[in-house]
Amino acid sequence: METAINQPITTEKSFSSTSKFLLEIPLYVYISVIASMCVILGILWDIAWHMSIGRDGLFSAPHVVVYVGAATAGIFSGYQVLKTSFWGTLVEKGKMVNFWGIFYSSLGGLFCIWGGIASLTSAPFDDWWHNTYGLDVEILSPPHTVLLLGLMSVQMGAMVAVLAFMNRKEAIVTLSASENANRFNRLQWLFITTAAFFITSIFTFLSEPLGRWAMHRPDFYQVASIAFPFILLATGRASGKKWGATYICLIFLFFHWVVNAVLRLLPAEPLLGPIHNKITTYQTLGFPLLLFIPAFAVDWLREKFSAMNDWILALILGFTYLFVLFVSHYPFGTFLHESPLARNWFWGSNSWSFQNDADWEYRFKFSPRNDISLSAWAEGMGFAILFSVVSSRIGLAWGNWMKQLQR
C-alpha cells in the first residue's frame, strides 16, 4: 500500500534553510543523491576508458567525476555536521546521531563522510597500482575494491539520508497539505533513484560473473541470487510503494543503458599496446540485466502476501525471483551473445576491448565450458535457490529496519 502522511502538522522550525521550491528538504540531501549518480557515472566511464583507451592518469576525466562526486557528498555532509553540532537547536540535534560526545550528524551523513574519505584515499593507491602493475585485467583490483567500498558507502549514505526524512512523515507548517504530499512523494522518488544507483554499482562491479557469456551457467544464477534479492526487497519495502522494486530496476536499466549507449557514440583511440582489436569509438559493458522482470513478480507477490510471516514470504519470493530470472535471462543470454541482431549500438554486444582478439572464436558464441550436465545444473540451481531465499529473508529484515530509520 502507498504510505500516507497522517501525522499532525508540526509547529517546530524546519532545520532546512532552502526555499519552498525544494519543499523543505535540505540541500545536502539533494547533493548526496547527485553525488550517488556521479560516482557510478564516473565508474562506468572509467571502465569504458580502460576498454577503449587504456592509458589513464590520476586525474583522468572519469576519475575526476568519481572524486568530485565522492568529495562533494563528504564535504556537504561534513558541513551539515558542523552546522548542527555548533549552531543547531536542541530539536535539530534530537533528530541526529551523537558521536564522540560533541558532533551531531544524520546516519546518512556519516556514511557519506566515510565514503568520501575512503574514495579519495583509494586514488593515490590506484595510481601507484597502475604505475607498478600496469592496466587492470580485472575490475576488482585491490585499489578498486577500496574505491568500491567508499563509493557504495556514499550511495548508502544518500539512501539513508533520504529515508530519515521520508520515515518521519512530518507535515511542514510552512507548506500546504498538497505541498506536504508532494514533498513526501518527492522523497520516495529520491529514495527509489538512489537505490537504482546502488544496484547499478552492484551490477557494474559484478559484471564479469554476470556477463551475457555466463547466462547459460548455474554460476550466473548463484551470483545474481546472492547479489540482488536482498537489496530489491529491502528498498522495495522501504520505498512504501507497491511497485517500488520494479521502479528501481527500471531506473537502473535506463541509467546504465543510457550512460553506455552515449559513450559508444563518442570517439576513442587506444593509447596502450598491444592492440588486438582496432576501434574508433568507446567500448563499454554490455546490455544490463532485465531485473525489472523478476522485480515485478516479487513486488506483486510481496503485496499479495504482505500479511504472511517473513520466513514463508522469503521462501516464496526467493524461489519466484530465481525462477523468473532463469526463464527471462537464459534465452536473453542466447540473444545477446549469439544473435547478429544484438551486435549494434543499441544492444552493445559488439563492444570489445582493444586488448581482446577481435577474431576470437567464442566472441559471439558460447564456449564448451557452458556444456554442463543435468546433474551439475540441478546441484548448481539448488544452491542458487538456497542463496535466493536467504538473500530474500535478509532483504525483508533490512527493509523493516529501513522503515524505522529516522536519523
Side-chain angles (χ1 to χ4, degrees):
M1 295 177 61
E2 303 287 343
T3 306
I5 300 175
N6 49 27
Q7 293 189 2
I9 293 180
T10 178
T11 57
E12 66 187 41
K13 182 181 178 181
S14 169
F15 59 83
S16 169
S17 60
T18 55
S19 66
K20 219 175 188 183
F21 172 75
L22 298 177
L23 295 180
E24 299 296 334
I25 301 171
L27 182 61
Y28 81 90
V29 175
Y30 288 102
I31 293 296
S32 67
V33 174
I34 295 172
S36 178
M37 178 193 70
C38 286
V39 295
I40 186 56
L41 171 63
I43 289 297
L44 290 171
W45 188 5
D46 190 47
I47 291 172
W49 186 290
H50 280 251
M51 292 177 64
S52 313
I53 298 174
R55 181 184 300 164
D56 65 358
L58 181 60
F59 296 107
S60 65
H63 290 177
V64 170
V65 174
V66 172
Y67 301 148
V68 167
T72 302
I75 290 171
F76 272 80
S77 297
Y79 167 77
Q80 190 67 25
V81 171
L82 296 176
K83 178 176 179 292
T84 306
S85 301
F86 298 108
W87 297 283
T89 65
L90 291 177
V91 172
E92 293 167 3
K93 291 179 179 178
K95 296 177 181 179
M96 300 293 176
V97 176
N98 178 236
F99 64 102
W100 295 347
I102 301 175
F103 299 105
Y104 292 84
S105 171
S106 66
L107 184 59
L110 291 176
F111 274 111
C112 287
I113 292 169
W114 184 90
I117 294 172
S119 301
L120 295 179
T121 301
S122 73
F125 182 26
D126 187 46
D127 190 53
W128 170 84
W129 184 271
H130 284 291
N131 291 332
T132 305
Y133 298 105
L135 189 66
D136 295 313
V137 295
E138 294 181 351
I139 291 177
L140 288 179
S141 64
H144 285 179
T145 301
V146 175
L147 179 64
L148 163 66
L149 295 175
L151 298 185
M152 295 187 77
S153 179
V154 169
Q155 294 181 314
M156 179 64 67
M159 284 198 294
V160 172
V162 175
L163 269 178
F165 287 91
M166 193 173 81
N167 289 340
R168 291 173 197 161
K169 302 184 181 70
E170 294 173 320
I172 307 300
V173 68
T174 57
L175 301 178
S176 66
S178 61
E179 287 173 334
N180 272 294
N182 186 21
R183 175 181 184 270
F184 182 74
N185 185 61
R186 180 177 296 184
L187 286 167
Q188 286 183 302
W189 281 105
L190 285 173
F191 174 73
I192 286 171
T193 302
T194 57
F197 296 148
F198 189 75
I199 288 181
T200 306
S201 294
I202 294 176
F203 171 69
T204 300
F205 285 99
L206 292 175
S207 58
E208 289 167 351
L210 293 177
R212 63 183 183 273
W213 48 84
M215 292 182 185
H216 284 191
R217 292 180 56 84
D219 316 40
F220 170 90
Y221 300 97
Q222 292 173 5
V223 173
S225 293
I226 295 172
F228 297 117
F230 84 95
I231 186 64
L232 290 180
L233 286 169
T235 54
R237 173 173 274 188
S239 72
K241 288 189 177 290
K242 177 180 178 180
W243 304 108
T246 306
Y247 296 147
I248 290 167
C249 290
L250 285 171
I251 294 174
F252 149 69
L253 175 71
F254 179 76
F255 176 78
H256 189 281
W257 178 83
V258 165
V259 172
N260 285 313
V262 170
L263 285 172
R264 288 194 288 269
L265 294 173
L266 303 179
E269 181 182 355
L271 298 178
L272 187 69
I275 300 172
H276 299 295
N277 179 36
K278 295 182 179 180
I279 61 170
T280 56
T281 59
Y282 271 103
Q283 307 299 294
T284 70
L285 296 177
F287 203 83
L289 300 183
L290 306 178
L291 286 177
F292 72 92
I293 300 177
F296 177 83
V298 164
D299 273 339
W300 181 70
L301 290 175
R302 180 172 58 86
E303 175 73 10
K304 184 176 180 65
F305 299 112
S306 58
M308 189 171 288
N309 176 277
D310 275 356
W311 285 101
I312 299 175
L313 184 59
L315 185 65
I316 296 172
L317 296 181
F319 180 83
T320 301
Y321 165 83
L322 179 61
F323 175 77
V324 176
L325 183 76
F326 176 79
V327 170
S328 58
H329 283 76
Y330 192 94
F332 189 54
T334 302
F335 169 75
L336 286 180
H337 200 48
E338 296 187 335
S339 174
L341 297 177
R343 301 168 200 170
N344 51 47
W345 164 81
F346 183 88
W347 297 103
S349 293
N350 56 339
S351 279
W352 200 242
S353 171
F354 71 89
Q355 290 187 310
N356 294 336
D357 183 2
D359 299 319
W360 186 47
E361 61 177 320
Y362 298 116
R363 179 178 175 181
F364 295 121
K365 69 177 182 178
F366 290 99
S367 69
R369 67 188 297 266
N370 288 281
D371 298 332
I372 302 173
S373 66
L374 183 60
S375 60
W377 262 104
E379 180 181 359
M381 296 303 284
F383 279 109
I385 291 174
L386 175 63
F387 297 152
S388 184
V389 171
V390 172
S391 183
S392 296
R393 184 63 186 90
I394 294 172
L396 291 172
W398 190 18
N400 287 334
W401 176 81
M402 281 186 167
K403 289 171 66 177
Q404 304 302 316
L405 189 119
Q406 295 188 12
R407 292 179 179 236

